[in-house]
Amino acid sequence: MDVRSFQLADYQSVTELLETVLTPECYEQTMEAFARQLSWDSELVLVAAVGNDVAGIMIGTIDNGRGFYYRIAVHPKYQRQGIGKQLIASLRQRFVQRGVSKIMITADEHNEPILSLYESLGYVTADFFRSFQKLSIVAG
């Protein structure tokens, strides 16, 4: 598995992955945030590739010196293989390299089911950022 920055050639695979994994409402919100983040800083959109397959994606952003894990999605056939953890670790490394003061997890209604994944990596409730704002508003 290779974790790398998003490339334009990944677009179709990423959108299909997001459409497969996310609810329709979450998909719409995520696509807005995805497009906006690509225009701001594409280095914070990571892709996990297994061979020629896009197995997972993670969207992050930096706002006011804080790094935010916004959305993570792993294709069902690749779940429970450590891909999500690798995406989180890779994005964390990018945040650290950029000197963020704190790393937060966006804990909207769509991320609630996977907060235990972050907890298993040592994050605590204080690291969860609960807001009704979307990434496109928060990071502007």
Side-chain angles (χ1 to χ4, degrees):
M1 177 191 50
D2 178 38
V3 175
R4 56 175 170 71
S5 297
F6 172 85
Q7 299 168 359
L8 191 54
D10 298 322
Y11 186 80
Q12 183 173 347
S13 297
V14 165
T15 56
E16 289 171 2
L17 166 67
L18 293 172
E19 204 166 28
T20 298
V21 175
L22 306 177
T23 65
E25 178 188 7
C26 184
Y27 174 80
E28 292 300 320
Q29 289 176 10
T30 301
M31 288 305 293
E32 285 178 30
F34 174 56
R36 180 146 338 236
Q37 187 58 40
L38 287 177
S39 72
W40 288 333
D41 187 347
S42 63
E43 293 294 311
L44 298 178
V45 178
L46 301 182
V47 169
V50 176
N52 291 327
D53 289 347
V54 170
I57 181 173
M58 181 149 204
I59 302 168
T61 195
I62 296 174
D63 183 36
N64 292 324
R66 295 182 299 172
F68 289 86
Y69 298 124
Y70 175 69
R71 187 78 68 225
I72 185 170
V74 176
H75 193 282
K77 78 178 187 179
Y78 293 106
Q79 290 177 2
R80 307 234 182 276
Q81 297 179 29
I83 291 172
K85 289 180 180 180
Q86 186 60 46
L87 283 164
I88 292 167
S90 295
L91 189 54
R92 181 183 191 290
Q93 183 178 8
R94 290 185 186 207
F95 286 153
V96 169
Q97 288 171 345
R98 294 194 186 190
V100 301
S101 60
K102 182 157 180 65
I103 298 174
M104 305 289 292
I105 295 101
T106 303
D108 62 14
E109 69 273 19
H110 306 296
N111 280 345
E112 287 288 337
I114 63 160
L115 294 182
S116 60
L117 170 64
Y118 291 103
E119 289 170 336
S120 76
L121 295 171
Y123 292 94
V124 296
T125 304
D127 299 323
F128 299 154
F129 179 74
R130 288 181 166 80
S131 173
F132 295 105
Q133 295 177 321
K134 297 175 187 159
L135 176 65
S136 59
I137 297 169
V138 172

